[in-house]
């Protein structure tokens, strides 16, 4: 054992020990000499590999390249032209959380890390920069990595080893594949892979790299993947850290221009940028800065305001500038070749092809496309040459240019060909992700093409594809249930819904078309009843044009969501700010003037505006004034205040500016008595939501004044401090809210018998109620019996949630009476029941009731002490298909074994519309292997299943691997919540 330990400490320790052994025990030395020599050779090979990689990354070939193709004489040098990049750290909901520098990203690196960015933002440059920093040993954070491999995913072939040899080393490298893979496994997180261009990656070309990303737990090497924004949805779920590349700052843009151009040309371009405000938005993207530099070298005066115009100018310049190279070729052949280049680009986009072969160019003059720079030819280490556009964005522009020409052609055959391409675009995801840039450049190429694309978007919006229709039909009841409580009951997970993103895409297309008001009527039909999300941290230029040129579209929007953030700062706060910084900070407002001018300068009223104020530690007088100017632009206003102690004491001033306020949410924000009193004067309020307020209730405050809110249709009190006396007061006040349709009172753990008074008032007086949710709020058996007796007074009730309430030893009788009362309400959609010591004996009676409720979408029997016997009875009931619309099933914290759950898996499959289930257990336990297999089958069989909660189930790595394989196989977003 001692010998083994010494040998495995490495070659240096081995050599010292061997010299000692040679002196004292020459026979043993002779036997072990061969072993140490072999170990030394292997270590020498690994050292050589490290040096070879560093040589590659520090070479001119790696650090200097032509970003626009070799025909345009612009060389980008990582050593001199690189500018610092700012990134946004994002959470699982795709929301920006904080800014990161490259150094901070590397310090906080998690595995795998995904770098997201729009086309041309500098993703490749960032990964190359990391490789160079490692090779130069100038970054201490990167010194922990023994090996760094930069891989271009566009050109992968074979396995990881073959790809590394092909791109970074050479064939027949001294380290064989077997030893290389062993090295990766042995060194685990001391190996870093930089994978560039996942959006152009074909997993079939290199399944090992796909597995490294999606099954990283098997490889355990550190991975950073770069991909475009429109394809991140394919891998977001696998990322432990997601960072989005931010905009290029004005300073970085200026530095980049000066590094690329001569002084005279750089000064000329910078002067043009100062004069042309329309170009400022484009100059936030490094690729477009480089293109502007290229155009500056050939055109003294150009002012493109859109991406399409920028590419168009470059395209025309490349073709015209290089005409002299093809003098011997007829004009007809030149035009045929250029036209075919458009076909090549367009077919490539729909086939997801970015590499082309000689046979693709068989019918054209290859030299025309190469001479003009439209295509580049690559022959190194290839049996056959490969042809590519200099950038994926340029291929997309060329394809959009061609598609525009087809759909606006005077020739019927070309128009038919154009529409044959459009017929392949038939879902919202196709528009917002796969073909977004193609459609953007098509719209940017002509107004007539924009009209054609707009007609396509209207059809997609109205009809969608067959699979989407089926999905929407199946989830209709779920949406009907959730839409009433949207933005009141829970913080919205995704601020931008699919429809918001779709609407923003169309605004992008409008801006790119440069149509201004020319197509206002065409756009109006699309935007009717749509919602749009605007983040005040980054208001794009296209929103300004949308507000300015399409006021008719604004007036028909159903909702605009506008978010403001108080703590908008970079990731690392600095304590040593100088006096000048502090003075400028005192003048800063958290409500940006750009937002004010966007809304207040418009003389028509919006239909509905939803404003969120989040993380405000301070709210200045000017902020309140600005907020008032924005609020007055909408006929209906929703205000959501979250985690903003700085608003405490000034909420009354804010609300005074919101005369049209209909929905108010206050979350994790303390209130003064003046604040609460101002809330009770807002008699137009339709919904009031107070959450996470643990301060003592104030005399003359909200509870005393709740009776004034006579127009309220929704009241949500969640996790607030309230004792029995407060409950009695609230019960009296709530009697006056005759229009109340929704009452949610959750996590009122100190209210005691006060909840009984509330139940009596609610069930006896408020006949309009449709939804009652009383979760974890001390409900007793007496309260349940009172509710059961009065259910006949609530004919519209369809949602009843009494979960997380313990009824003690009288639970059986209370549940029996409740079930009897529910017979009068066959239209129930949600039923979540309380628990008690003996409530499981009510199961048979409950199932008889459920037979009369076919539209039920949500059922909860949490903590009912169900055993294998009851779970089989429940399974048999589900197999009879009485609840075919059930989407959420909560059977958590029961007493079911592996055998019971195993018998339940098959009946579960009969619930075709299930979205989420909760089978969590009271105590940790190990599920049987067969149960894990059956659970995986359920995952692949139920098409709409998004979440399985099994807290307390202890899975080993084999179990998790099996479930993960099933998840990958069914190709859907899915979450497994376990111990």
């Amino acid at each position: 054992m001692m010998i083994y330990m010494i040998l495995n400490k490495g070659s240096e320790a081995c050599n010292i020990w061997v010299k000692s052994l040679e002196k004292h025990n020459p026979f043993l030395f002779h036997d072990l000499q061969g072993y140490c020599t072999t170990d030394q050779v292997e270590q020498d090979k690994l050292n050589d590999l490290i040096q070879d990689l560093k040589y590659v990354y520090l070479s001119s070939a790696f650090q200097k390249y032509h970003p626009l193709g070799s025909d345009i004489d612009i060389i980008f040098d990582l050593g001199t032209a690189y500018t610092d990049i700012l990134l946004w750290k994002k959470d699982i909901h795709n929301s920006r959380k904080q800014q990161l520098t490259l150094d901070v990203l590397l310090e906080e690196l998690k595995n795998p890390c995904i770098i997201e960015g729009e086309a041309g933002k500098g993703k490749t440059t960032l990964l190359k920069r990391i490789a160079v920093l490692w090779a130069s040993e100038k970054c201490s954070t990167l010194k922990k990595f023994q090996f760094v491999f930069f891989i271009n995913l566009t050109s992968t072939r074979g396995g990881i080893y073959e790809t590394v040899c092909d791109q970074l080393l050479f064939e027949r490298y001294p380290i064989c594949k077997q030893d290389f893979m062993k090295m990766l496994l042995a060194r685990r997180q001391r190996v870093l892979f930089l994978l560039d261009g996942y959006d152009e990656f074909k997993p079939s070309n290199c399944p090992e790299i796909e597995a490294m990303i999606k099954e990283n737990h098997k490889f355990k090497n550190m991975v950073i993947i770069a991909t475009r924004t429109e394809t991140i949805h394919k891998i977001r779920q696998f990322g432990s850290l997601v960072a989005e590349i931010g905009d290029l700052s004005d300073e970085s843009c200026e530095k980049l221009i000066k590094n690329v151009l001569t002084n005279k040309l750089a000064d000329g371009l910078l002067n043009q940028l100062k004069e042309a405000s329309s170009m400022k938005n484009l100059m936030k993207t490094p690729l477009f800065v480089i293109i502007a530099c290229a155009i500056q070298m050939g055109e003294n005066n150009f002012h493109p305001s859109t991406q399409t115009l920028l590419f168009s100018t470059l395209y025309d310049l490349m073709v015209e500038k290089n005409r002299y190279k093809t003098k011997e070729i007829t004009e007809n052949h030149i035009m045929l070749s250029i036209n075919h280049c458009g076909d090549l680009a367009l077919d490539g986009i729909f086939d997801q092809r970015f590499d082309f072969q000689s046979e693709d160019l068989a019918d054209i003059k290859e030299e025309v496309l190469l001479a003009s720079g439209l295509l580049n030819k690559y022959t190194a280490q290839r049996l056959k040459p490969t042809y590519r556009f200099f950038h994926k964005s340029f291929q997309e522009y060329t394809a959009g240019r061609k598609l525009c020409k087809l759909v606006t052609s005077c020739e019927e055959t070309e128009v038919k060909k154009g529409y044959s391409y459009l017929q392949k675009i038939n879902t919202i995801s196709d528009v917002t992700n796969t073909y977004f840039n193609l459609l953007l450049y098509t719209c940017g190429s002509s107004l007539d093409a924009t009209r054609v694309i707009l007609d396509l978007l209207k059809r997609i919006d109205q009809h969608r594809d067959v699979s989407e229709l089926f999905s929407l039909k199946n989830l209709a009841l779920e949406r009907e249930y959730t839409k009433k409580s949207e933005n009141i009951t829970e913080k919205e997970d995704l601020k931008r819904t699919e429809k918001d993103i779709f609407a923003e895409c169309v605004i992008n297309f409008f801006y790119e078309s440069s149509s201004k008001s020319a197509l206002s009527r065409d756009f109006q039909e699309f935007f009717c009843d749509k919602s749009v999300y605007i983040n005040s941290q980054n208001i794009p230029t296209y929103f300004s044009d949308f507000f300015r040129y399409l006021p008719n579209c604004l007036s028909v929007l159903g909702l605009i969501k506008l978010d403001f953030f108080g703590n908008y700062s970079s990731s690392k706060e600095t304590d040593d700010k100088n006096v000048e910084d502090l003075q400028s900070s005192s003048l800063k407002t958290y409500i940006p003037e750009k937002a004010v001018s966007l809304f207040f300068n418009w003389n028509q009223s919006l239909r509905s505006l939803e404003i969120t104020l989040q993380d405000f530690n301070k709210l200045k007088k000017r902020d309140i004034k600005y907020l008032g100017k924005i609020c007055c632009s909408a006929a209906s206003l929703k205000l959501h205040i979250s985690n903003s102690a700085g608003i405490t004491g000034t909420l009354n001033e804010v609300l005074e500016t919101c005369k049209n306020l209909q929905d108010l949410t206050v979350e994790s924000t303390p209130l003064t008595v003046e604040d609460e009193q101002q809330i009770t004067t807002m008699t137009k309020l339709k919904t009031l939501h107070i959450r996470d307020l643990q301060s003592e209730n104030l005399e003359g405050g909200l509870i005393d004044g709740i009776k004034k809110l006579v127009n309220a249709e929704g009241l949500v009190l969640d996790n607030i401090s309230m004792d029995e006396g407060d409950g009695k007061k609230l019960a009296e006040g709530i009697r006056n809210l005759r229009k109340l349709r929704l009452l949610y009172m959750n996590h009122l753990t100190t209210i005691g018998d006060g909840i009984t008074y509330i139940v009596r008032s609610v069930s006896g007086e408020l006949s309009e109620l449709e939804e009652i949710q009383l979760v974890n709020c001390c409900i007793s058996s007496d309260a349940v019996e009172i509710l059961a007796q009065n259910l006949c007074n609530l004919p519209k009730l369809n949602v009843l949630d009494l979960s997380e309430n313990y009824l003690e030893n009288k639970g059986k009788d209370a549940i029996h009476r409740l079930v009897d009362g529910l017979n009068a309400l066959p239209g129930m959609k949600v039923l979540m029941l309380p628990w008690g010591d003996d409530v499981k004996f009510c199961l048979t009676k409950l199932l008889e009731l459920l037979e009369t409720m076919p539209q039920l979408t949500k059922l909860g029997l949490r903590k009912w002490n169900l055993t294998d016997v009851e779970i089989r009875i429940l399974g048999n009931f589900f197999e009879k298909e009485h609840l075919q619309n059930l989407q959420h099933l909560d059977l958590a914290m029961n007493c079911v074994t592996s055998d019971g759950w195993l018998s339940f898996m098959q009946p579960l499959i009969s619930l075709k519309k299930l979205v989420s289930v909760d089978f969590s257990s009271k105590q940790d336990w190990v599920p049987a292997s067969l149960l894990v297999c059956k659970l995986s089958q359920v995952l692949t069989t139920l098409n709409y299943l998004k979440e399985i909660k099994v807290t307390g189930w202890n899975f080993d790595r084999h179990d998790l691997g099996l479930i993960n394989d099933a998840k990958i196989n069914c190709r859907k977003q899915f979450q497994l919540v376990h111990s």
Side-chain angles (χ1 to χ4, degrees):
M1 177 61 72
M2 179 65 71
I3 292 172
Y4 177 82
M5 291 173 62
I6 293 174
L7 289 174
N8 278 275
K9 285 184 178 179
S11 58
E12 185 177 352
C14 179
N15 287 337
I16 295 172
W17 184 73
V18 166
K19 288 179 181 178
S20 174
L21 189 67
E22 182 181 11
K23 181 178 180 181
H24 298 100
N25 195 335
F27 297 103
L28 183 59
F29 163 74
H30 178 76
D31 292 336
L32 293 174
Q33 189 176 25
Y35 182 96
C36 289
T37 303
T38 302
D39 186 63
Q40 176 68 52
V41 169
E42 293 303 319
Q43 186 59 47
D44 288 344
K45 288 183 179 179
L46 293 179
N47 290 337
D48 289 342
L49 174 58
I50 294 171
Q51 295 306 313
D52 288 343
L53 290 171
K54 289 183 176 180
Y55 180 82
V56 170
Y57 301 145
L58 295 176
S59 68
S60 295
F62 186 82
Q63 294 196 40
K64 296 178 181 179
Y65 58 96
H66 293 92
L68 305 182
S70 57
D71 192 65
I72 296 180
D73 192 22
I74 286 183
I75 297 176
F76 191 93
D77 187 346
L78 277 173
T80 59
Y82 181 82
T83 56
D84 290 333
I85 289 177
L86 279 178
L87 303 108
W88 282 98
K89 185 177 181 180
K90 303 179 85 173
D91 61 16
I92 59 171
H93 306 309
N94 200 37
S95 300
R96 290 177 171 183
K97 302 307 292 183
Q98 66 181 92
Q99 282 191 331
L100 303 172
T101 61
L102 176 57
D103 289 340
V104 174
L105 175 75
L106 295 174
E107 288 171 8
E108 299 181 2
L109 192 61
K110 294 180 181 178
N111 193 36
C113 170
I114 301 173
I115 303 296
E116 168 196 355
E118 297 170 359
K121 278 292 186 182
K123 301 179 292 294
T124 301
T125 306
L126 177 66
L127 295 192
K128 282 195 165 191
R129 178 66 174 170
I130 293 172
V132 172
L133 286 172
W134 172 77
S136 63
E137 300 181 6
K138 292 180 180 178
C139 178
S140 58
T141 310
L142 291 172
K143 289 182 179 178
K144 63 185 175 185
F145 297 113
Q146 273 190 279
F147 301 92
V148 172
F149 298 101
F150 175 91
I151 293 177
N152 183 346
L153 294 180
T154 307
S155 306
T156 55
R157 65 180 183 90
I160 295 173
Y161 174 78
E162 289 81 7
T163 298
V164 167
C165 289
D166 179 42
Q167 296 189 19
L168 300 173
L169 306 170
F170 49 85
E171 292 186 14
R172 297 182 182 178
Y173 195 72
I175 300 176
C176 68
K177 178 170 183 173
Q178 184 178 2
D179 291 342
F180 181 81
M181 299 306 290
K182 282 182 181 178
M183 180 274 292
L184 295 185
L185 290 172
R187 277 148 182 82
R188 298 180 175 237
Q189 295 196 347
R190 286 179 291 165
V191 178
L192 173 61
F193 278 90
L194 305 172
L195 306 179
D196 183 41
Y198 188 82
D199 47 287
E200 299 181 38
F201 177 51
K202 290 187 176 180
S204 57
N205 288 351
C206 189
E208 283 182 353
I209 287 181
E210 179 78 348
M212 178 179 286
I213 296 169
K214 295 184 176 179
E215 301 175 65
N216 188 262
H217 59 280
K218 294 181 180 178
F219 288 84
K220 299 181 177 63
N221 302 134
M222 294 295 286
V223 177
I224 302 179
I225 316 122
T227 189
R228 281 170 58 158
T229 300
E230 63 264 26
T231 53
I232 192 175
H233 66 281
K234 295 180 180 179
I235 53 172
R236 181 187 285 120
Q237 69 188 96
F238 304 103
S240 298
L241 172 62
V242 177
E244 178 189 5
I245 295 183
D247 291 336
L248 199 64
S249 67
D250 292 343
E251 294 78 11
S252 295
C253 173
E254 183 175 341
K255 178 182 176 183
L256 184 55
I257 290 171
K258 288 182 176 179
N259 286 336
V260 169
L261 295 176
T262 62
N263 291 339
K264 184 178 179 181
L265 290 175
D267 290 341
L269 178 56
L270 290 170
N271 288 332
Q272 287 184 43
L273 293 179
K274 289 177 182 177
E275 296 171 4
S277 58
S278 59
M279 288 184 63
K280 287 184 178 178
N281 192 51
L282 289 174
M283 295 303 104
K284 294 177 181 178
T285 300
L287 175 64
F288 297 147
V289 176
I290 296 291
I291 292 175
C293 291
I295 296 172
Q296 181 70 7
M297 294 165 63
E299 294 283 342
N300 292 326
N301 294 299
F302 76 105
H303 301 284
S305 56
T306 66
Q307 297 178 37
T308 308
L309 289 174
L310 199 64
F311 273 123
S312 176
T313 306
L314 178 67
Y315 185 101
D316 294 340
L317 192 65
M318 290 165 68
V319 171
E320 291 302 319
K321 182 171 76 78
N322 293 298
R323 286 274 178 158
Y324 73 93
K325 297 180 181 178
T326 53
K327 286 181 180 179
E328 68 283 0
I329 300 175
T330 65
E331 185 68 19
N332 184 48
H333 274 110
I334 290 175
M335 295 312 299
L336 284 174
S337 298
I338 290 175
N339 283 334
H340 186 76
C341 184
D343 293 328
L344 208 62
L346 192 53
D347 288 332
I349 295 301
F350 282 96
D351 296 338
Q352 288 297 291
R353 286 181 62 205
F354 307 100
D355 286 354
F356 303 95
Q357 310 304 321
S358 299
E359 49 267 29
D360 297 316
L361 281 70
D363 299 329
I364 61 173
K365 298 286 186 180
E366 170 190 306
E367 56 267 37
V368 173
L369 302 184
L370 297 180
S372 63
L374 296 180
L375 282 182
N376 293 319
K377 185 175 183 179
Y378 301 90
T379 57
Q381 296 191 24
R382 291 175 174 84
L383 292 175
K384 294 183 177 181
T386 296
Y387 302 85
R388 287 191 208 123
F389 293 87
F390 73 79
H391 195 279
K392 183 180 177 181
S393 291
F394 188 64
Q395 179 178 341
E396 288 168 329
Y397 162 74
T398 306
R401 182 182 178 119
K402 178 65 177 183
L403 184 58
C404 169
K405 183 179 178 182
L406 290 174
V407 298
T408 59
S409 174
C410 297
E411 295 183 20
E412 186 178 349
T413 54
E414 290 203 336
V415 174
K416 283 184 177 180
K417 184 178 179 181
Y419 276 89
S420 69
Y421 286 111
L422 293 181
Q423 287 173 1
K424 299 176 183 179
I425 305 173
N426 52 33
T427 69
I428 289 178
S429 178
D430 285 344
V431 175
T432 59
N433 293 314
T434 313
Y435 303 113
F436 170 76
N437 286 306
L438 170 68
L439 296 175
L440 184 80
Y441 295 126
T442 306
C443 290
S445 298
S446 85
L447 291 185
D448 290 335
T450 304
R451 282 196 179 92
V452 173
I453 299 304
L454 197 50
D455 287 339
L456 168 72
L457 300 177
K458 290 174 188 175
R459 288 199 301 274
I460 290 173
D461 183 48
Q462 291 166 5
H463 304 294
R464 310 192 177 199
D465 72 314
V466 176
S467 62
E468 270 193 275
L469 268 176
F470 184 62
S471 172
L472 289 171
K473 182 180 178 182
N474 281 341
L475 298 180
L477 289 176
E478 166 70 3
R479 291 191 176 180
E480 187 178 341
Y481 164 56
T482 55
K483 71 182 179 182
K484 296 175 185 174
S485 54
E486 187 180 4
N487 298 322
I488 344 170
T489 58
E490 293 182 7
K491 185 176 180 181
E492 193 177 12
D493 282 344
L494 285 175
K495 280 292 182 184
R496 294 204 310 165
T497 65
E498 184 189 56
K499 282 194 170 185
D500 294 339
I501 297 170
F502 190 34
E504 188 171 340
C505 279
V506 179
I507 295 173
N508 243 310
F509 297 156
F510 150 74
Y511 178 77
E512 195 70 18
S513 71
S514 301
S515 59
K516 297 185 178 179
S517 301
L519 302 178
S520 60
R521 289 184 178 275
D522 301 83
F523 279 103
Q524 181 173 331
E525 183 182 343
F526 174 86
F527 283 108
C528 187
D529 293 327
K530 293 292 187 298
S531 62
V532 169
Y533 172 72
I534 301 175
N535 186 332
S536 66
Q537 292 177 346
N538 180 26
I539 302 177
T541 304
Y542 50 75
F543 272 120
S544 299
D545 274 28
F546 180 65
F547 273 66
R548 180 179 179 185
Y549 294 113
L550 299 182
N552 59 314
C553 296
L554 276 174
S555 63
V556 299
L557 281 174
L559 175 67
I560 295 180
K561 305 173 193 176
L562 178 61
D563 282 4
F564 296 104
F565 301 88
N567 291 344
Y568 175 39
S569 60
S570 58
S571 59
K572 290 197 171 182
E573 298 292 338
T574 52
D575 297 325
D576 55 352
K577 290 184 178 180
N578 57 36
V579 176
E580 185 179 345
D581 290 334
L582 292 172
Q583 288 174 344
S584 62
S585 175
S586 67
L587 299 174
K588 174 188 174 184
T589 58
Y590 295 108
I591 308 297
E593 291 195 22
K594 187 172 183 178
V596 179
S597 61
L598 204 61
F599 288 85
F600 191 59
N601 286 348
W602 187 53
N603 58 9
Q604 288 181 264
S605 177
L606 300 169
R607 285 168 59 186
S608 185
L609 178 63
E610 179 184 313
I611 294 178
T612 296
L613 304 176
Q614 184 174 324
D615 300 329
F616 276 76
N617 291 331
K618 184 182 291 186
L619 194 67
K620 302 175 183 178
K621 293 287 185 183
R622 187 181 295 181
D623 287 313
I624 296 173
K625 181 181 178 182
Y626 282 179
L627 198 58
K629 291 180 181 296
I630 293 171
C631 290
C632 72
S633 66
S636 172
L637 179 67
K638 299 178 181 181
L639 181 61
H640 185 146
I641 299 169
S642 174
N643 193 32
S644 297
I647 294 179
T648 303
T650 60
L651 179 61
N652 58 329
E653 297 179 47
V654 172
L655 294 181
E656 284 177 359
T657 68
C658 303
K659 303 299 182 185
N660 47 357
L661 185 64
Q662 293 192 359
D663 296 81
L664 174 63
T665 299
V666 181
E667 180 180 0
S668 303
T669 301
L671 300 174
T672 64
V673 68
E674 291 80 14
D675 294 333
E676 292 189 8
Q677 288 172 347
Q678 183 64 40
I679 291 175
T680 61
T681 66
M682 310 297 290
T683 54
K684 292 182 180 180
L685 269 184
K686 288 188 175 181
T687 301
L688 175 63
H689 178 179
I690 307 294
R691 184 178 186 181
D692 297 332
L693 181 62
Q694 291 301 313
S695 56
E696 187 176 332
N697 285 300
L698 306 168
E699 192 69 30
L702 180 62
I703 291 179
D704 290 322
I706 199 84
K707 59 188 176 185
K708 299 178 184 178
L709 301 178
V710 293
N711 289 305
E713 296 177 7
L715 176 62
V716 180
L717 302 175
D718 189 344
N719 190 29
I720 68 174
S721 177
M722 189 181 295
D723 58 24
E724 186 174 330
D726 297 324
K728 290 180 180 180
K729 285 183 183 179
L730 186 60
E732 286 300 314
I734 215 168
R735 291 176 186 271
N736 293 329
L737 310 186
R738 301 289 182 175
K739 297 181 180 180
L740 205 64
R741 295 186 299 107
L742 180 150
L743 176 66
Y744 285 6
M745 299 178 65
N746 301 331
H747 308 295
L748 309 181
T749 55
T750 58
I751 195 172
D753 285 339
I755 195 67
T756 305
Y757 293 94
I758 291 172
V759 168
R760 182 176 285 110
S761 288
V762 167
S763 59
E765 305 284 347
L766 306 181
S767 60
E768 296 296 314
L769 269 174
E770 298 174 18
E771 301 185 24
I772 295 177
Q773 189 179 94
L774 305 172
V775 175
N776 188 20
C777 55
C778 305
I779 279 190
S780 63
S781 298
D782 292 339
V784 173
E785 291 192 19
I786 291 169
L787 178 62
Q789 292 169 8
N790 292 332
L791 283 175
C792 57
N793 299 325
L794 304 172
K796 298 181 180 180
L797 190 68
N798 58 69
V799 173
L800 180 61
D801 187 347
L802 306 178
S803 58
E804 297 185 42
N805 287 294
Y806 177 44
L807 304 183
E808 299 180 345
N809 55 2
K810 295 182 180 179
K812 179 182 175 183
D813 293 337
I815 294 295
H816 266 299
R817 288 187 173 86
L818 182 62
V819 170
D820 287 338
L822 285 169
N823 277 308
L825 299 170
M828 292 296 292
K829 296 173 183 175
V830 175
L831 184 60
M832 309 289 285
L833 295 173
W835 61 290
D837 295 336
D838 49 6
V839 293
K840 71 177 181 180
F841 297 109
C842 303
L843 182 62
T844 302
K845 189 176 183 69
L846 174 64
L847 295 182
E848 291 174 2
L849 170 70
L850 294 180
E851 286 184 20
T852 68
M853 297 179 173
Q855 65 274 44
L856 198 72
T857 63
K858 194 169 185 177
L859 175 65
L861 304 177
R862 177 180 283 259
K863 294 185 178 180
W864 265 45
N865 291 321
L866 302 178
T867 65
D868 290 358
V869 174
E870 287 80 31
I871 210 70
R872 287 190 176 95
I873 293 172
L874 188 60
N876 291 335
F877 174 77
F878 286 149
E879 284 188 318
K880 295 176 182 178
E881 301 186 351
H882 293 300
L883 299 180
Q884 283 303 290
N885 290 306
L886 196 67
Q887 296 165 22
H888 303 275
L889 178 62
D890 187 351
L891 297 176
M893 305 304 157
N894 283 295
C895 306
V896 186
T897 68
S898 269
D899 289 340
W901 286 125
L902 195 57
S903 69
F904 191 67
M905 290 298 112
Q906 188 61 39
L908 194 66
I909 292 175
S910 65
L911 302 174
K912 304 294 185 184
K913 300 176 185 177
L914 268 183
V915 175
S916 69
V917 295
D918 193 343
F919 298 153
S920 299
S921 63
K922 294 179 180 178
Q923 298 176 336
D924 288 358
W925 68 293
V926 179
S929 298
L930 183 56
L931 176 57
V932 177
C933 291
K934 290 293 184 182
L935 188 67
S936 301
Q937 290 175 12
V938 168
L939 170 58
T940 57
T941 305
L942 295 176
N943 293 330
Y944 304 110
L945 192 62
K946 300 290 185 185
E947 181 181 67
I948 295 180
K949 288 184 179 179
V950 282
T951 305
W953 295 36
N954 290 332
F955 296 114
D956 61 24
R957 63 185 182 88
H958 300 290
D959 298 331
L960 292 174
L962 184 69
I963 295 171
N964 190 57
D965 288 343
K967 180 170 63 174
I968 293 171
N969 183 62
C970 60
R971 296 179 181 178
K972 66 181 180 183
Q973 296 288 334
F974 173 81
Q975 185 177 15
L976 177 73
V977 181
H978 62 96
S979 298

